[in-house]
């Protein structure tokens, strides 16, 4: 039976891969600034990647901006 740490490690490994492979990281971290999103932001920053993060906004609110400036632009 996998232990809880096995799942945690898999998620943090995923965060490392995201940070390594992104050109720009756009993130919406939790208010307490802990957890996987914060981990990914820190890893991307340590790799010299450009981080853009928004606090107090939902993905739905951000989608029109991303569509116009990231996906299409």
């Amino acid at each position: 039976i996998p232990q809880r740490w096995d799942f945690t490690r898999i998620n943090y490994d995923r965060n490392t891969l995201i940070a390594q492979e992104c050109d720009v990281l756009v993130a919406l971290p939790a208010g307490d600034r802990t957890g996987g999103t914060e981990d990914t932001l820190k890893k991307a920053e340590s790799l010299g990647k450009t981080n853009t993060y928004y606090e107090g906004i939902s993905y739905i609110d951000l989608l029109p901006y991303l569509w116009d400036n990231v996906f299409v632009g």
Side-chain angles (χ1 to χ4, degrees):
I1 298 175
Q3 298 297 314
R4 177 173 167 75
W5 170 245
D6 294 327
F7 294 110
T8 302
R9 184 183 46 77
I10 289 167
N11 289 326
Y12 281 96
D13 288 347
R14 178 207 57 211
N15 299 344
T16 300
L17 183 60
I18 291 168
Q20 290 170 338
E21 296 298 321
C22 74
D23 294 319
V24 174
L25 180 63
V26 177
L28 303 172
D32 61 5
R33 301 300 301 264
T34 62
T37 303
E38 186 65 20
D39 177 63
T40 307
L41 283 165
K42 288 178 181 177
K43 288 176 177 179
E45 185 176 273
S46 73
L47 294 168
K49 305 293 178 90
T50 300
N51 290 339
T52 303
Y53 60 90
Y54 302 87
E55 293 185 56
I57 188 171
S58 72
Y59 283 105
I60 299 301
D61 294 333
L62 192 57
L63 280 176
Y65 170 81
L66 291 174
W67 182 258
D68 293 340
N69 297 286
V70 178
F71 302 122
V72 177

